[in-house]
Amino acid sequence: MNYEINGNLKEEKNFSSFFEWVSNTLNFFTKTFGKRVMNKIEVYIDNATDNSGYTPVTTLALKKYIFIKLGIHDFGKKEQIVYQFSHELCHAVFYALYGIKPRQISSFEETICSAMSLIVLKEFFPDHLEYWISYVRNLENPDYQNGVVLASYLQFDIFRLKEEMKKLKL
């Protein structure tokens, strides 16, 4: 994948942990979706500071670039990094699969991205999955909550989720 992490983040405490878990997540996605899909997109990864708007968020810019802005307050919280980044990276994969063009994000796409976060967390932190399932179940957005249902239905299998992503007509 063609990506860049905001160089200013290097000054943040625990940046090496942030870098490691962003890289681990990118590698997992590349193994899952392949280099052909992952190399279709150019991604700029940033983290929010105070007063920087809604985060985490994936934004399309100039019909060419994907900006992922996370909302991580402590780069030592590796599970939170994986949770947020895998959700937002899932949106970027949708752009790779269906074209980099402005579009409305569907509620089912949000559910898939929520399920993706849980599946990736299960891969890296299986002993803490129940915490994250509970966390997602208690989010206000029902599309995110439905990610628990979908991930469970798919038995937390990344390749089954990948097939669900391919079925969508965007």
Side-chain angles (χ1 to χ4, degrees):
M1 168 181 279
N2 299 317
Y3 73 96
E4 179 179 344
I5 297 174
N6 181 343
N8 294 323
L9 297 177
K10 289 179 184 174
E11 303 303 318
E12 297 293 323
K13 181 179 176 188
N14 295 319
F15 174 77
S16 61
S17 176
F18 180 82
F19 182 85
E20 175 185 359
W21 288 101
V22 164
S23 297
N24 289 343
T25 304
L26 282 165
N27 289 335
F28 185 68
F29 270 70
T30 301
K31 287 178 189 173
T32 301
F33 294 99
K35 289 180 181 179
R36 186 183 63 75
V37 169
M38 297 306 289
N39 285 333
K40 283 185 178 181
I41 50 179
E42 295 185 41
V43 177
Y44 184 77
I45 303 158
D46 199 1
N47 192 61
T49 57
D50 292 337
N51 301 315
S52 61
Y54 179 82
T55 60
V57 66
T58 299
T59 306
L60 174 65
L62 304 172
K63 299 179 185 177
K64 182 177 179 180
Y65 303 105
I66 303 294
F67 288 81
I68 294 176
K69 183 169 52 168
L70 303 177
I72 308 297
H73 299 290
D74 177 354
F75 283 178
K77 294 190 174 189
K78 56 190 175 185
E79 293 176 30
Q80 185 182 28
I81 294 164
V82 170
Y83 172 76
Q84 286 187 17
F85 186 57
S86 59
H87 181 107
E88 298 309 321
L89 188 57
C90 185
H91 286 298
V93 170
F94 272 105
Y95 282 110
L97 293 172
Y98 295 103
I100 299 182
K101 58 185 180 259
R103 62 185 172 79
Q104 184 69 30
I105 304 295
S106 72
S107 63
F108 193 57
E109 181 177 333
E110 286 296 355
T111 295
I112 286 175
C113 293
S114 180
M116 178 68 76
S117 290
L118 293 171
I119 290 169
V120 176
L121 282 165
K122 182 179 184 279
E123 174 71 19
F124 292 128
F125 311 104
D127 294 341
H128 295 157
L129 182 61
E130 288 304 317
Y131 166 83
W132 288 100
I133 288 172
S134 177
Y135 174 82
V136 173
R137 277 191 179 129
N138 289 304
L139 294 172
E140 289 184 26
N141 186 325
D143 297 333
Y144 296 159
Q145 294 172 357
N146 288 335
V148 174
V149 176
L150 181 60
S152 297
Y153 171 75
L154 299 173
Q155 300 175 321
F156 293 88
D157 184 322
I158 190 77
F159 295 102
R160 290 179 69 189
L161 184 61
K162 176 181 170 182
E163 292 307 311
E164 290 298 316
M165 294 173 74
K166 289 181 177 180
K167 289 179 187 177
L168 289 178
K169 305 291 182 217
L170 299 180

